[in-house]
Amino acid sequence: MDYATLLQILDSTLRLATPLLLACLAGLFSERAGIFDIGLEGKMLIAGMASGAAAALSGSVWIGLMAGIGASMMLAAIHGVASITFRGNQLISGVALNFVASGATVLIAQSLFGQGGRTPPLSGAARFNPIELPFAEAIKAVPFIGPFYADVLSGHSALVYAALLAVPVTWWVLFRTRFGLRLRAVGENPESVDTAGVSVFRLRYTAVAITGLLCGLAGAYMATGLQAGFGREMTAGRGYIALAALIFAKWRPWYALWATLLFGFLQALALRPDVIERSFGLAIPVPALDALPYILTVIVLAGVVGRAIPPRAGGQPYVKER
């Protein structure tokens, strides 16, 4: 594999890893607070539909972004009420939201546009356009570093850079602030937090709201940045892959970045079967390459890569003692 081809694959890796990274960080906040959220897939899906539809109708990608975040936070609020206020089963609630989103997105998109559950193709101001980083063209001639900066790091949409920035921000919030300390304590021992006079319910609702925000960004990016509009079931299991990456990362922000980049790399590699054939002399069928991220998901969930211990109070509804 030559350097130019490697740069193309790495460029695709960063694009494809962005929704996984945002969803993974969303699950990180939720599960650190003790709320297991299987509904990442549904939140991303409804955010993609809402952002694609709003951008198509308004012609503004920013209105589409706000619509996507709003739709995702609406599902997050439903999940919060079901699992925090009414102390329902968190896994069942998340799965139910996925089914609701799967059907509602197609129904709404079909009602609005009549294109088989899709939105019209987006272009111009209705999409996130690439941003060229400073001095990208000037240093492109520098061996190795220049092409990497110009062809891999530069030329992405604003949400790609927002996702990368979210990693250190998440680390700082969780491990360097009082809010983060309390949030992690709620996921480990909510009784001690309650004894200290801090509302467990408020902290968990805050975490669920942050989850909705990040999933909204992920879904909006898929519809207005990665692709030019919403398509039926366009998330294609990315919410579940993000959960696997979260387990692989052992609920740590920086590990989540590398885990999602690994999954993104496998997805990018599936788009270039010719590279594998030229590099290794193996003619692997395209469906087999498409299955690689999902195979890795099964391997991670089976615990082959090492045991991951979730927050101790995860999945357990908190009942305040009288």
Side-chain angles (χ1 to χ4, degrees):
M1 183 190 307
D2 56 50
Y3 190 53
T5 302
L6 177 62
L7 292 181
Q8 292 174 3
I9 293 177
L10 292 179
D11 178 69
S12 298
T13 295
L14 194 53
R15 298 176 192 275
L16 293 169
T18 295
L20 297 177
L21 177 58
L22 288 168
C24 187
L25 294 177
L28 177 63
F29 273 100
S30 180
E31 297 198 7
R32 278 286 189 173
I35 304 296
F36 287 167
D37 196 348
I38 303 296
L40 300 178
E41 178 87 0
K43 294 182 185 67
M44 293 171 62
L45 192 60
I46 202 165
M49 185 279 298
S51 61
L57 293 173
S58 67
S60 171
V61 69
W62 297 106
I63 293 178
L65 177 62
M66 292 300 104
I69 292 174
S72 177
M73 293 189 72
M74 179 187 68
L75 282 194
I78 295 174
H79 180 61
V81 170
S83 59
I84 301 173
T85 301
F86 293 107
R87 299 191 291 274
N89 187 291
Q90 298 172 9
L91 300 182
I92 293 177
S93 173
V95 171
L97 290 179
N98 287 342
F99 282 120
V100 169
S102 178
T105 50
V106 175
L107 178 63
I108 295 173
Q110 175 64 19
S111 300
L112 289 175
F113 305 106
Q115 298 185 11
R118 300 179 61 88
T119 62
L122 303 178
S123 61
R127 287 197 68 192
F128 279 105
N129 296 310
I131 298 174
E132 183 174 321
L133 297 181
F135 313 112
E137 288 299 323
I139 67 172
K140 191 171 183 178
V142 178
F144 294 103
I145 298 177
F148 180 82
Y149 180 77
D151 297 335
V152 177
L153 298 182
S154 181
H156 297 284
S157 67
L159 290 183
V160 174
Y161 301 115
L164 295 175
L165 180 62
V167 176
V169 170
T170 299
W171 173 84
W172 180 78
V173 168
L174 286 178
F175 297 100
R176 289 295 183 269
T177 66
R178 179 180 299 178
F179 168 76
L181 175 62
R182 291 174 173 175
L183 191 73
R184 288 184 288 121
V186 164
E188 296 291 341
N189 192 344
E191 291 82 5
S192 64
V193 176
D194 195 13
T195 302
V198 179
S199 173
V200 173
F201 289 171
R202 185 174 66 249
L203 282 171
R204 287 189 166 180
Y205 267 112
T206 302
V208 168
I210 295 173
T211 299
L213 170 65
L214 292 173
C215 284
L217 293 174
Y221 169 74
M222 291 197 64
T224 59
L226 186 62
Q227 300 181 27
F230 171 79
R232 181 173 183 172
E233 302 291 348
M234 69 181 303
T235 50
R238 284 179 171 86
Y240 301 108
I241 294 177
L243 284 174
L246 180 59
I247 297 172
F248 192 25
K250 299 182 179 179
W251 295 270
R252 298 179 183 178
W254 288 107
Y255 290 2
L257 172 62
W258 302 117
T260 52
L261 285 175
L262 173 60
F263 280 97
F265 178 76
L266 293 177
Q267 290 182 332
L269 204 59
L271 300 176
R272 296 294 304 272
D274 58 303
V275 173
I276 297 179
E277 187 170 357
R278 289 201 313 266
S279 301
F280 304 101
L282 298 175
I284 301 178
V286 174
L289 292 176
D290 289 334
L292 283 178
Y294 306 98
I295 294 172
L296 183 57
T297 300
V298 174
I299 293 173
V300 170
L301 295 179
V304 175
V305 296
R307 186 182 179 191
I309 303 175
R312 285 184 297 176
Q316 303 175 10
Y318 178 67
V319 181
K320 184 178 179 66
E321 295 183 2
R322 300 291 182 182

